[in-house]
């Protein structure tokens, strides 16, 4: 049975570093995914991830509701990614980014198709506002429900639906 | 492809709110949106980072944590809770509520019978027949009225009684007291009144002696009566002697001379009687008065005073 985030957060506050390691293992891919897709910086996503976890540890005592650690971590990742985006003055266009190949384990034509497919997805994400990009990533890559996304973005569910619809419409226009 | 506005595929996808539904149905190419939706559903983003790199990242984070630990084993840092959920806030709120309740309660239940700015002497406009205001009235006027609040209330109301009257009014009965310190001219009516009160007050011998000392500067009917009372009834011989000395100058006043006669008859102190006799004889009384005096002394059998009368007669 998986230990709940709330217990792990309390354990970290009590001095358990292992508990924080467990939290990192649990959310490292989520944080990395959001960091890469929101910032559009696929090379430095791991650096952003590391920074996010360090800041999370330092600010853990400011987390009012330990049960909502994931939403809190995602918001922190989003803000860190936005900061990274601002720092990258010379790389505003997603099209110019170096996207991950992501075809390890595939072979031949399927690997090529998969790579093209991923590249198109990342290019489409690049046309969105960072906050809208976060909503799309949470919805399609993290499998979050509308309600969870609303909790993370701290807005209502209709607003999230609207964001998703407008994001898809914008990407459809650019496709 | 025909688009049925009543059956937009986007409705099923996003469950749009009613306000947005009409706009979404106007979407001319929902298929394009759905295609993007499908593309993202199928976008199985691969693990672009190997587990080893995540291990390295975590190791770096843990190393940093070990070097700068924030949460020690013994020093547990409690979760940051919104202040109004903390116990101390509840205690403070309860204490504040209790204090406010007591304050309001005392205001509502212990209100004085009359408004604090009400002064019966002033508000009734009582003046003496001669047009002057009473000393108490002046004393009240000397204070800054009305009082701003209860804490600085200069009066103490006591023996309060409240009773409704038949004509829809209220009968108030109370004692009012206050402490006043001021400097006034010696002939001020308030000073005279205070002298009278001091002479009638049995608590302080010094006050009575001081009042007698000052009385010749401000002699008034009230002070004269107070001196007469002090001369006849004060328990202290020194006070009676001093009051007598002050009244001796008004021996022509029948009320004063009669009081001196009363002293001759009734005062237990020989010194008082001798002094009274000297003052009476020194005022050049009529022979008939001297005869009446001797008669009184014989009736009383007061030998020392009879001898003193004979001495005065020889002179």
């Amino acid at each position: 049975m998986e230990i709940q985030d709330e217990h792990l957060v309390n354990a970290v506050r009590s001095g358990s570093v292992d508990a924080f390691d467990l939290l990192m293992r649990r959310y490292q891919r989520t944080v990395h995914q959001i960091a890469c897709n929101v910032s559009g910086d696929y090379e430095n996503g791991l650096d952003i991830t590391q920074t996010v976890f360090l800041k999370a540890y330092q600010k853990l005592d400011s987390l009012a509701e330990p049960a909502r650690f994931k939403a809190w971590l995602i918001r922190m990742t989003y803000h860190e990614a936005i900061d990274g985006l601002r720092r990258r003055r010379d790389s505003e266009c997603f099209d110019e980014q170096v996207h991950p190949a992501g075809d390890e384990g595939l072979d031949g034509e399927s690997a090529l198709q998969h790579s093209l497919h991923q590249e198109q997805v990342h290019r489409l994400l690049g046309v969105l506002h960072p906050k809208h990009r976060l909503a799309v990533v949470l919805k399609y890559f993290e499998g979050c429900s509308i309600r969870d996304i609303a909790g993370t973005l701290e807005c209502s569910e209709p607003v999230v639906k609207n964001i998703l619809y407008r994001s898809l419409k914008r990407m459809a226009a650019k496709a | 492809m025909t688009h049925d506005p009543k059956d937009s595929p986007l409705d099923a996808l996003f469950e749009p709110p009613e306000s947005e539904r009409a706009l979404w149905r106007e979407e001319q190419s929902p298929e394009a949106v759905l295609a993007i939706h499908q593309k993202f559903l199928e976008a199985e983003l691969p693990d672009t980072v190997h587990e080893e790199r995540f291990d390295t990242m975590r190791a770096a984070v843990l190393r940093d944590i070990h070097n700068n630990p924030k949460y020690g084993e013994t020093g547990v840092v409690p979760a940051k809770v919104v202040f109004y959920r903390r116990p101390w806030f509840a205690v403070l709120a309860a204490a504040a509520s209790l204090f406010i309740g007591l304050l309001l309660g005392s205001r509502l239940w212990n209100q004085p019978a009359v408004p604090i700015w009400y002064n019966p002497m002033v508000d009734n406009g009582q003046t003496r027949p001669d047009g002057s205001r009473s000393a108490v009235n002046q004393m009240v006027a000397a204070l800054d009225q009305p009082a701003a609040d209860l804490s600085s209330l200069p009066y103490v109301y006591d023996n309060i009684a409240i009773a409704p009257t038949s004509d829809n009014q209220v009968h108030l009965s109370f004692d009012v007291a206050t402490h006043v310190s001021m400097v006034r001219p010696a002939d001020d009516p308030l000073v005279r009144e205070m002298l009278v009160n001091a002479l009638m007050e049995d608590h302080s011998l010094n006050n009575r002696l001081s009042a007698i000392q000052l009385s010749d500067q401000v002699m008034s009917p009230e002070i004269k009566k107070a001196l007469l009372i002090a001369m006849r009834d004060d328990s202290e011989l020194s006070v009676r002697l001093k009051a007598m000395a002050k009244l001796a100058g008004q021996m022509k006043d029948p009320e004063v001379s009669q009081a001196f006669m009363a002293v001759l008859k009734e005062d237990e102190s020989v010194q008082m009687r001798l002094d009274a006799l000297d003052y009476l004889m020194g005022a050049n009384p009529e022979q008939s008065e001297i005869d009446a005096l001797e008669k009184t002394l014989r009736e009383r059998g007061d030998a020392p005073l009879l001898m003193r009368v004979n001495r005065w007669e020889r002179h």
Side-chain angles (χ1 to χ4, degrees):
Chain A
M1 184 177 173
E2 191 179 69
I3 304 173
Q4 291 182 346
D5 288 354
E6 185 177 4
H7 297 146
L8 289 175
V9 168
N10 289 330
V12 174
R13 285 169 169 169
S14 301
S16 171
V17 179
D18 292 340
F20 192 73
D21 187 34
L22 213 55
L23 284 170
M24 282 197 294
R25 288 175 187 273
R26 185 174 292 178
Y27 293 115
Q28 59 190 8
R29 294 197 179 276
T30 300
V31 171
H32 182 256
Q33 192 75 264
I34 294 169
C36 290
N37 286 298
V38 172
S39 69
D41 187 353
Y42 294 88
E43 282 188 330
N44 299 315
L46 209 58
D47 292 340
I48 295 175
T49 304
Q50 181 174 336
T51 305
V52 167
F53 280 123
L54 279 172
K55 285 188 175 181
Y57 176 79
Q58 293 296 330
K59 296 180 178 179
L60 201 59
D61 55 350
S62 69
L63 177 58
E65 297 177 70
R68 294 182 53 78
F69 174 76
K70 182 182 179 183
W72 178 74
L73 188 68
I74 288 174
R75 277 198 299 276
M76 190 177 289
T77 306
Y78 170 73
H79 292 301
E80 192 63 31
I82 293 296
D83 287 345
L85 195 61
R86 288 173 184 153
R87 283 193 292 268
R88 285 168 43 238
R89 296 177 182 175
D90 58 343
S91 54
E92 294 176 357
C93 179
F94 265 56
D95 292 346
E96 296 173 8
Q97 295 305 307
V98 178
H99 300 305
D103 53 358
E104 295 172 8
L106 300 176
D107 58 337
E109 188 178 349
S110 59
L112 179 61
Q113 283 182 349
H114 196 87
S115 177
L116 289 171
H117 188 77
Q118 300 304 328
E119 197 167 329
Q120 187 184 22
V121 166
H122 288 117
R123 184 177 60 80
L124 291 174
L125 278 174
V127 303
L128 300 178
H129 180 276
K131 189 171 183 178
H132 297 183
R133 207 179 300 152
L134 175 63
V136 170
V137 169
L138 291 174
K139 167 73 176 171
Y140 291 102
F141 299 162
E142 293 299 321
C144 294
S145 66
I146 298 293
R147 186 176 183 179
D148 289 343
I149 298 172
T152 303
L153 298 184
E154 294 179 320
C155 59
S156 66
E157 291 182 36
V159 170
V160 173
K161 291 175 184 175
N162 208 334
I163 288 174
L164 288 174
Y165 165 67
R166 295 185 188 284
S167 299
L168 290 181
K169 189 178 174 184
R170 182 173 172 80
M171 287 190 290
K174 296 286 183 181
Chain B
M1 182 178 177
T2 57
H3 171 58
D4 184 2
K6 292 182 180 177
D7 191 22
S8 171
L10 295 177
D11 287 359
L13 187 59
F14 294 111
E15 300 172 357
E18 204 55 44
S19 58
E20 296 272 353
R21 196 176 292 269
L23 287 174
W24 290 24
R25 284 170 181 163
E26 291 172 2
E27 177 63 55
Q28 293 302 309
S29 55
E31 298 80 10
V33 177
L34 288 173
I36 293 296
H37 167 69
Q38 193 62 36
K39 187 184 290 288
F40 272 82
L41 282 180
E42 295 169 354
E44 297 174 7
L45 289 183
D47 291 338
T48 55
V49 178
H50 290 288
E51 190 62 35
E52 292 77 18
R53 294 190 65 190
F54 277 125
D55 291 344
T56 306
M57 182 273 297
R58 285 201 316 279
V61 172
L62 293 175
R63 190 166 51 249
D64 197 272
I65 290 174
H66 279 299
N67 291 336
N68 301 293
K70 185 173 182 182
Y71 310 101
E73 290 287 348
T74 54
V76 178
V77 179
K80 187 175 182 180
V81 181
V82 186
F83 73 93
Y84 54 78
R85 291 183 179 173
R86 290 180 181 274
W88 60 261
F89 181 80
V91 172
L92 273 182
S97 301
L98 182 65
F99 176 75
I100 292 171
L102 288 174
L103 194 66
L104 286 176
S106 63
R107 288 265 176 169
L108 292 174
W109 297 328
N110 294 332
Q111 280 185 344
V114 293
I116 59 174
W117 59 85
Y118 175 77
N119 186 290
M121 285 65 127
V122 172
D123 290 357
N124 286 340
Q126 292 177 350
T127 53
R128 288 175 172 170
D130 60 357
S132 65
R133 299 164 72 190
S134 71
V136 175
N137 228 336
Q138 292 192 20
M139 176 185 72
V140 169
L143 300 170
D144 290 328
Q145 291 291 331
D149 54 62
L150 284 174
S151 62
S152 61
L153 181 65
Y155 299 104
V156 177
Y157 294 95
D158 202 0
N159 297 329
I160 298 170
I162 305 171
T165 62
S166 57
D167 52 352
N168 199 28
Q169 293 191 351
V170 179
H171 174 258
L172 298 174
S173 174
F174 57 90
D175 299 335
V176 58
T178 187
H179 179 78
V180 179
S181 176
M182 60 177 71
V183 176
R184 307 297 283 260
D187 58 348
D188 189 276
L190 178 60
V191 173
R192 288 201 298 270
E193 192 147 340
M194 288 299 111
L195 288 181
V196 171
N197 287 334
L199 284 172
M200 298 296 101
E201 178 63 62
D202 273 337
H203 293 311
S204 170
L205 173 62
N206 283 335
N207 273 347
R208 301 205 298 279
L209 292 174
S210 299
I212 295 171
Q213 182 70 30
L214 286 168
S215 60
D216 53 354
Q217 301 177 33
V218 291
M219 188 61 77
S220 67
E222 294 87 356
I223 291 180
K224 186 187 75 176
K225 285 182 180 177
L227 285 172
L228 289 171
I229 294 172
M231 181 181 70
R232 293 190 56 181
D233 298 333
D234 199 286
S235 58
E236 286 292 330
L237 175 61
S238 58
V239 173
R240 297 203 304 274
L241 286 171
K242 206 159 187 175
M244 183 188 289
K246 288 295 176 186
L247 288 168
Q250 303 185 31
M251 196 57 74
K252 294 194 181 303
D253 186 337
E255 193 178 3
V256 174
S257 59
Q258 286 175 11
F260 273 65
M261 290 295 288
V263 169
L264 287 177
K265 292 178 186 175
E266 300 169 1
D267 200 291
E268 61 184 9
S269 166
V270 177
Q271 181 67 43
M272 277 291 292
R273 296 199 303 273
L274 286 174
D275 282 8
L277 180 62
D278 288 345
Y279 287 132
L280 282 169
M281 297 304 289
N284 297 321
E286 298 291 335
Q287 187 57 44
S288 58
E289 292 175 342
I290 296 174
D291 293 341
L293 177 62
E294 284 182 339
K295 184 183 175 184
T296 302
L297 294 175
R298 283 193 194 95
E299 288 174 355
R300 184 185 167 87
D302 199 336
L305 266 71
L306 282 171
M307 290 172 62
R308 181 69 67 100
V309 170
N310 291 332
R311 191 182 301 170
W312 274 100
E313 284 178 329
R314 283 200 298 273
H315 284 90

